């Protein structure tokens, strides 16, 4: 089984990085050797910039799922000063795929909600690979209402291929739990910021995605369905996942134009998985700036603007017809 951290389209990057490691290991102290190292470093930077400036939608999905990409657990350590986890939904149990708790962001006390995927097989099995159950969303609702009570901003990190699709989850009201979470967020009288840090798939993402500000990392994706799920429905085969990814237009290239996300946070060259600390610093800067903006707004205005934002979201055929024909579409 291959343990390479390089994706298929990163083969030129892998070649240059291996060459650079070999040159640096030789430790020759000659002008020619130093010049060669500088030349390879420049080639590496140029190659990485060229590849990552023109990723296909499916390649973006691969980056969003990269095994070394920073997850919520990493950002809790790098972005927030402290975290006190809150457990349980008071009805069934404690979902490990969707975790909540008090955190401190710069000078602000906040309520953190985020998907957890896990790193090794044991953690991933415990977290259902980031797919939350109904109790996860019910837990999120309770903790958001607690944040409202104490005037704490809510920060949600989205990173899931979708809500857990098991029979038990359906029996315990998966769809209703997600709908209740979205409804609760739409009325919550405290600032909400949601950030798609990796995968933003289906209702599992939407369940914590109703926010005053919705952002995504540059190489994340945010979609009504995963590309494999879309391919399975439309073409009856996962072999068409790249075609589905292209059709869904779920990357940071398209979503700001559709009004789905408000901001795109640029990743370090080569993706967030290449520099966790730099990515965390950029994310923290965005969060602090946005929290400061939102807490300055009156609560009623905040809720009203949130409602208007989602009512006006998207592009519709009726609008296009009205513009083209000069009169309202029937």
């Amino acid at each position: 089984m291959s343990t390479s951290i390089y994706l298929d389209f990163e083969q030129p990057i892998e070649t240059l990085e291996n060459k650079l490691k070999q040159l640096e290991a030789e430790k020759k102290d000659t002008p020619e050797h130093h010049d060669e190292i500088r030349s390879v470093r420049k080639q590496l930077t140029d190659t990485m910039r060229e590849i990552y400036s023109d990723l296909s939608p499916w390649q973006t999905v691969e980056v969003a799922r990269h095994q070394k990409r920073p997850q919520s657990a990493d950002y809790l350590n790098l972005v927030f000063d402290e975290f006190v986890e809150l457990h349980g939904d008071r009805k069934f149990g404690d979902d490990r795929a969707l975790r909540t708790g008090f955190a401190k962001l710069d000078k602000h006390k906040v309520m953190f909600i985020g998907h957890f995927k896990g790193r090794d097989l044991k953690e991933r099995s415990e977290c259902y690979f980031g797919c939350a159950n109904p109790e996860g969303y019910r837990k999120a609702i309770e903790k958001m209402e607690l944040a409202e009570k104490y005037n704490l901003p809510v920060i949600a990190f989205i990173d899931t291929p979708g809500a857990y699709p098991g029979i038990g989850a359906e029996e315990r009201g998966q769809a209703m739990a997600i709908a209740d979470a979205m409804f609760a967020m739409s009325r919550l009288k405290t600032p909400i910021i949601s950030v798609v840090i990796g995968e933003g798939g289906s209702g599992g993402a939407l369940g914590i995605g109703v926010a005053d500000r919705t952002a995504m990392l540059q190489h994340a994706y945010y979609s009504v369905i995963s590309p494999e799920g879309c391919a399975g429905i439309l073409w009856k085969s996962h072999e068409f996942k790249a075609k589905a990814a292209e059709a869904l237009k779920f990357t940071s290239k398209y979503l700001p134009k559709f009004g789905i996300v408000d901001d795109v946070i640029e990743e370090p060259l080569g993706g967030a998985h290449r520099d966790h600390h730099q990515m965390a610093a950029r994310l923290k800067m965005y969060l602090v700036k946005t929290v400061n903006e939102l807490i300055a707004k009156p609560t009623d205005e905040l809720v009203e603007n949130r409602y208007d934002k989602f009512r006006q979201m998207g592009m519709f055929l009726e609008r296009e017809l009205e513009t083209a024909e000069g009169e309202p579409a029937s």
Side-chain angles (χ1 to χ4, degrees), residues 25-318:
E26 292 176 4
K27 297 182 180 179
K28 294 180 180 178
D29 193 17
T30 64
E32 294 78 11
H33 186 68
H34 293 311
D35 287 343
E36 187 175 6
I37 289 177
R38 281 193 292 269
S39 176
V40 173
R41 283 177 177 165
K42 184 177 185 305
Q43 289 180 52
L44 177 59
T45 300
D46 292 343
T47 301
M48 204 177 295
R49 182 173 289 112
E50 180 181 357
I51 290 174
Y52 273 84
S53 65
D54 191 29
L55 294 180
S56 71
W58 176 248
Q59 288 171 339
T60 299
V61 173
E62 292 184 298
V63 176
R65 295 173 176 172
H66 197 285
Q67 60 179 313
K68 296 296 184 181
R69 188 174 180 86
Q71 301 178 6
S72 294
D74 301 301
Y75 290 126
L76 277 175
N77 292 325
L78 296 172
V79 173
F80 301 93
D81 296 321
E82 54 189 73
F83 176 64
V84 179
E85 186 172 0
L86 301 174
H87 298 271
D89 70 339
R90 297 185 180 179
K91 292 181 176 69
F92 182 82
D94 185 38
D95 186 4
R96 307 308 292 152
L98 193 56
R99 303 190 191 180
T100 64
F102 295 115
K104 191 172 182 183
L105 174 70
D106 195 33
K107 63 181 180 180
H108 302 289
K109 295 178 181 179
V110 302
M111 177 65 73
F112 173 85
I113 299 170
H115 290 106
F116 276 61
K117 283 184 169 181
R119 286 292 182 193
D120 55 33
L121 183 58
K122 181 181 178 181
E123 287 182 347
R124 290 176 180 178
S125 298
E126 179 185 332
C127 298
Y128 296 101
F129 294 81
C131 299
N133 280 276
E135 47 272 21
Y137 294 100
R138 294 188 180 112
K139 175 171 64 173
I141 293 170
E142 285 198 357
K143 290 3 173 200
M144 285 189 285
E145 290 174 347
L146 184 63
E148 180 184 54
K149 180 179 179 179
Y150 293 106
N151 298 314
L152 302 179
V154 174
I155 294 178
F157 283 1
I158 297 170
D159 190 14
T160 178
Y164 189 69
I167 294 176
E170 296 298 331
E171 289 175 341
R172 298 193 300 277
Q174 182 72 285
M176 195 65 196
I178 292 172
D180 285 342
M182 295 172 68
F183 182 67
M185 293 182 83
S186 71
R187 306 158 45 119
L188 205 68
K189 295 180 180 179
T190 194
I192 310 173
I193 304 168
S194 289
V195 183
V196 185
I197 61 172
E199 294 188 83
S202 193
L206 292 175
I208 58 171
V210 180
D212 301 296
R213 292 285 187 279
T214 303
M216 68 186 301
L217 302 195
Q218 182 182 3
H219 301 308
Y221 80 88
Y222 195 24
S223 173
V224 70
I225 192 171
S226 69
E228 291 92 343
C230 179
I233 292 171
L234 296 183
W235 293 284
K236 311 302 180 186
S237 172
H238 288 181
E239 292 181 5
F240 294 92
K241 58 191 178 184
K243 186 176 181 180
E246 183 70 38
L248 286 167
K249 299 190 183 304
F250 52 27
T251 65
S252 62
K253 177 181 177 181
Y254 300 103
L255 295 183
K257 300 176 185 177
F258 300 151
I260 306 299
V261 301
D262 303 298
D263 302 291
V264 175
I265 305 172
E266 185 178 0
E267 297 189 21
L269 183 62
H273 57 278
R274 294 185 182 277
D275 195 332
H276 289 201
H277 287 81
Q278 186 179 357
M279 185 68 255
R282 294 181 182 183
L283 179 55
K284 183 174 183 178
M285 188 181 303
Y286 171 81
L287 291 174
V288 171
K289 172 178 173 290
T290 308
V291 167
N292 286 330
E293 289 176 2
L294 293 176
I295 62 176
K297 294 187 176 184
T299 300
D300 291 343
E301 179 183 335
L302 202 66
V303 176
E304 184 177 351
N305 289 347
R306 190 187 307 149
Y307 174 83
D308 290 339
K309 170 188 170 182
F310 280 86
R311 289 289 293 175
Q312 298 169 13
M313 189 175 287
M315 299 175 64
F316 303 93
L317 179 60
E318 287 84 352

